Amino acid sequence: MLTSTRRRLLRERLFVGLCASAVVIPLLVLALLVGHVALAGLGRIDWAFLSGYPSRRAATAGILPAMVGSLYMIAITAALALPVGVGAAIFLEEYGARSRLAAIIEVNIANLAGVPSIIYGMLGLGVFVRLMGFGRTLIAGAATMALLVLPVVIVSSREALRTVPYAMREACFGLGATKWQAIRQVVLPMAAPGILTGTILAVARAIGETAPLVVIGALAYVTFLPTSPTSQFTALPMQILNWVSRPQEAFVVNAAAGIVVLLITMLVLNLAAILLRNRLQKRVY
Amino acid sequence: MVTIPLVRTLLPSLVRAAAPLFALAVPFSSGACKGSDPNGASGTNAAPASGAQGIVIDGSSTVFPITEAVAEEFKATNPARVTIGVSGTGGGFKKFCSKETAISGASRPIKQAEIDACAKSGVEYVELPVAFDGIAVVVHPSNTAVEHLTTAELKSMWEPAAQKKILKWNQVREGWADKELHLFGAGVDSGTYDYFTEAVVGKEHSSRGDFTSSEDDNVLVKGVSGDTGALAFFGFAYYAENKAKLKAVPVDDGKDDNGKGAILPSPETIADGSYAPLSRPIFLYVNKAELERAPVAAFAKFYVENARKLAAEVGYIALPENVSALTKQRLADKKAGSMYGGKGSKVGASLADLLSGKGS
């Protein structure tokens, strides 16, 4: 009896240990990566780096056009992906949940979320750059990125809508509200924090995507900042890619600094998502 | 399909409606850098690719650093907008011949298929050599036995027939180590690969397939510096920046009139052509019709006038003075067509002869 109890306890401890290492190992690898990049690049980041234009001299090169390009691009991406994504989620969740078509669409959306980003790049090149005649512009890049993040936005928005108890809707109907009134005045406000968090996290992913940008032909060097959605543009991942492949060591340091800026931008976006959620949650309840 | 025309008409107007928002946002974000973007306020650059006021450049990643340097200097003298993409030599020509770009960088001469494509769409171009680049053949520093290579030996390693057959160093030359030979090379879409195969194997774009290729030369540098049995070829600049980790192998082309014996790559041997056959010119192609536009003409002129100084600064080898003068003349004359006639790189031909029309 005693030995079997001891064995069971040992197994318990072994399992806890395994679970703990599953947490610690990825964190360690992540810390190593971030630490390695930060060590190489952090010293390079100053105001001149953030506000300067690219240069052949690694020491005076800056990332302003790339940074502004990236920020504009994700702003437009969010503006495109949010309404379409939420609209699709509302339709699937509130109106078409039980239809066969909805089930097929649902499976497809889940699959689309796993499609490699370079495929979206090719789609963007074919549809937005060529067919719609946008050229290699910000709007074409942003529309491609919006397609890329859309499945995630739809899935997370549906999850958020699902967390609103059905009783809330029934209460609305009991008061004579139409379905749309119930959605607009009760369900959407309650689901908004979840929807926004999902959207921001999805869009934050888009800021680091390189493959679609390479495919649609974002530029490597521009001497100006984008002034409208139809401007040509470059983005941070393109600038980093360009620097990484240069022979001079100093450019690789610049690339590391660019990566640090990209990481910080992503962290800020994710932080914004959390803060927004907390704020909105307080307002609703 | 009915929806597409609708979207096509609707979306641009939406985009235009959103443009004022951008005009508001830009002064905020660019406030930090003074005097930037002089013609940005117009906001009328709706023409997607060949923006009427801009200079649209694309092409080889090898030429990119020089073009970037020229654009950087040009910016101080001229407000025109310059955009540079990196689609590679072949990808660049595709856009160039479909009039998407005004200027294309190329690390090899234009090919017959590309000449045909340009002719079909009515694109005439001025071909301008802008610098020399060497292709370095390197091994691991510990590989002391390999003190030089002949072009015949390089061919025996790289030709298609060597695939799965030449696998050890002692198969290349008797007396070398009985050790596995690991080959690394520039990506097969690059102009560097095209030139190397033309110069070594004798046929452009033809080599064995069982070697490690990468579009990023830094990956090749890492590969060779960590593998005692490795041999690689890539741009000279990548060797020059990593001399401590690599050993360049002198190459003997078997001809004594252009430098006797095996020659080591260096700025001097690449510029005077004695590092044959692995020293090559890199080019700029300018759309002749675009040269009628003042900004493009000014940029091209600025490019050939400053190419010597700037090419050397970013790690390439400047053209000799006399070749540079011929290049300027070629641009001034707007001489259309290729010196190479679509027949690939003329390995070993003198640029001065080609430019003054003696080579063809």
Side-chain angles (χ1 to χ4, degrees):
Chain A
M1 264 321 261
L2 199 78
T3 50
S4 109
T5 309
R6 197 173 289 162
R7 197 179 299 151
R8 285 195 308 123
L9 282 177
L10 195 72
R11 272 196 198 147
E12 167 79 16
R13 229 174 289 158
L14 200 72
F15 182 68
V16 172
L18 272 175
C19 288
S21 63
V23 175
V24 170
I25 291 171
L27 277 181
L28 265 181
V29 172
L30 186 69
L32 203 72
L33 267 173
V34 173
H36 183 74
V37 169
L39 208 67
L42 213 52
R44 180 66 187 82
I45 299 173
D46 51 22
W47 183 242
F49 183 71
L50 295 175
S51 66
Y53 281 78
S55 165
R56 67 180 179 283
R57 297 188 193 92
T60 55
I63 55 166
L64 185 68
M67 186 76 197
V68 173
S70 270
L71 291 178
Y72 278 1
M73 190 184 72
I74 57 153
I76 304 175
T77 301
L80 291 173
L82 187 67
V84 178
V86 173
I90 290 175
F91 174 75
L92 289 172
E93 196 58 35
E94 305 289 333
Y95 289 98
R98 262 170 240 129
S99 78
R100 196 176 187 139
L101 183 70
I104 294 170
I105 293 175
E106 185 169 357
V107 171
N108 274 304
I109 288 173
N111 276 331
L112 277 178
V115 170
S117 57
I118 194 159
I119 307 288
Y120 284 98
M122 291 163 97
L123 184 66
L125 178 70
V127 175
F128 300 121
V129 175
R130 303 230 168 105
L131 191 65
M132 290 193 181
F134 287 164
R136 299 163 204 286
T137 54
L138 257 181
I139 183 75
T144 307
M145 290 298 184
L147 278 187
L148 175 72
V149 301
L150 212 45
V152 182
V153 172
I154 295 173
V155 169
S156 61
S157 297
R158 290 190 68 182
E159 293 295 331
L161 290 170
R162 221 170 283 163
T163 59
V164 179
Y166 201 75
M168 291 289 192
R169 294 175 183 86
E170 282 170 341
C172 292
F173 301 149
L175 291 169
T178 62
K179 208 160 191 184
W180 166 235
Q181 281 173 320
I183 292 168
R184 192 169 62 94
Q185 290 172 21
V186 175
V187 179
L188 261 189
M190 286 185 77
I195 291 174
L196 276 177
T197 312
T199 305
I200 297 177
L201 290 180
V203 168
R205 182 195 153 196
I207 199 175
E209 281 291 347
T210 318
L213 292 178
V214 172
V215 175
I216 67 159
L219 297 162
Y221 179 87
V222 287
T223 55
F224 55 87
L225 298 176
T227 49
S228 83
T230 53
S231 279
Q232 295 204 300
F233 73 109
T234 182
L236 265 179
M238 294 297 291
Q239 184 67 64
I240 292 166
L241 186 70
N242 173 1
W243 278 338
V244 160
S245 59
R246 299 289 275 267
Q248 290 85 3
E249 183 66 28
F251 279 112
V252 179
V253 173
N254 278 5
I259 291 168
V260 173
V261 172
L262 194 62
L263 280 175
I264 292 172
T265 314
M266 278 183 82
L267 280 178
V268 167
L269 277 174
N270 290 355
L271 194 70
I274 294 166
L275 290 178
L276 208 64
R277 184 183 54 192
N278 291 348
R279 239 185 106 108
L280 286 173
Q281 260 168 354
K282 268 186 216 130
R283 208 186 64 191
V284 171
Y285 295 108
Chain B
M1 286 314 280
V2 190
T3 52
I4 288 166
L6 187 73
V7 172
R8 221 173 181 170
T9 49
L10 250 178
L11 259 174
S13 59
L14 269 177
V15 165
R16 237 171 280 130
L21 287 175
F22 268 77
L24 284 175
V26 162
F28 169 72
S29 53
S30 65
C33 58
K34 48 198 182 301
S36 68
D37 205 13
N39 49 5
S42 61
T44 52
N45 55 332
S50 55
Q53 54 199 318
I55 303 168
V56 185
I57 307 171
D58 208 315
S60 164
S61 60
T62 308
V63 187
F64 174 80
I66 309 176
T67 310
E68 182 193 47
V70 173
E72 188 187 353
E73 291 299 309
F74 184 70
K75 197 174 148 211
T77 66
N78 193 307
R81 293 175 156 212
V82 181
T83 61
I84 314 172
V86 180
S87 307
T89 300
F93 274 128
K94 269 196 199 111
K95 292 182 188 172
F96 182 74
C97 293
S98 61
K99 297 185 184 172
E100 276 189 61
T101 58
I103 297 175
S104 208
S107 62
R108 55 158 174 79
I110 187 166
K111 287 182 188 175
Q112 190 58 49
E114 292 155 351
I115 292 175
D116 295 343
C118 274
K120 209 172 166 192
S121 57
V123 173
E124 282 195 293
Y125 47 85
V126 182
E127 180 182 60
L128 303 165
V130 290
F132 279 114
D133 186 21
I135 298 176
V137 177
V138 301
V139 294
H140 191 267
S142 73
N143 194 341
T144 49
V146 180
E147 83 298 340
H148 85 276
L149 276 162
T150 65
T151 42
E153 284 164 342
L154 276 173
K155 183 177 179 188
S156 75
M157 282 184 212
W158 284 97
E159 66 187 345
Q163 179 145 344
K164 290 182 182 158
K165 289 209 182 86
I166 307 296
L167 301 170
K168 294 196 163 171
W169 280 95
N170 60 3
Q171 289 173 291
V172 180
R173 193 190 295 179
E174 266 179 63
W176 280 352
D178 181 22
K179 192 171 182 178
E180 274 186 41
L181 170 69
H182 297 147
L183 295 171
F184 294 76
V188 296
D189 287 331
S190 68
T192 307
Y193 172 80
D194 282 347
Y195 185 88
F196 182 83
T197 47
E198 164 100 39
V200 166
V201 178
K203 185 163 181 262
E204 190 171 273
H205 210 78
S206 158
S207 79
R208 68 194 293 173
D210 53 344
F211 70 101
T212 309
S213 75
S214 172
E215 297 292 341
D216 182 352
D217 287 356
N218 281 324
V219 171
L220 302 175
V221 169
K222 286 212 176 73
V224 178
S225 61
D227 182 344
T228 55
L231 178 136
F233 72 88
F234 46 71
F236 175 73
Y238 290 84
Y239 162 69
E241 292 291 329
N242 297 285
K243 278 184 178 168
K245 291 185 248 173
L246 305 167
K247 178 185 152 184
V249 183
V251 175
D252 185 355
D253 65 352
K255 296 176 197 140
D256 288 348
D257 52 346
N258 58 0
K260 201 173 161 65
I263 309 274
L264 203 63
S266 73
E268 294 75 34
T269 58
I270 292 168
D272 67 18
S274 60
Y275 181 61
L278 295 179
S279 133
R280 59 164 176 170
I282 53 180
F283 303 90
L284 205 63
Y285 286 82
V286 186
N287 184 319
K288 198 177 164 189
E290 290 275 319
L291 274 174
E292 300 303 319
R293 281 174 45 216
V296 176
F299 184 83
K301 188 158 182 286
F302 191 86
Y303 204 125
V304 292
E305 278 169 2
N306 293 280
R308 291 193 76 228
K309 175 173 148 281
L310 294 173
E313 214 179 298
V314 295
Y316 292 100
I317 288 91
L319 297 174
E321 195 76 73
N322 63 330
V323 175
S324 176
L326 287 168
T327 307
K328 283 176 206 161
Q329 192 54 48
R330 193 178 179 86
L331 177 65
D333 297 344
K334 295 185 190 169
K335 193 168 170 15
S338 171
M339 304 179 277
Y340 298 86
K343 295 188 180 69
S345 309
K346 289 186 180 168
V347 173
S350 144
L351 254 188
D353 287 350
L354 284 173
L355 280 163
S356 49
K358 285 180 217 154
S360 49

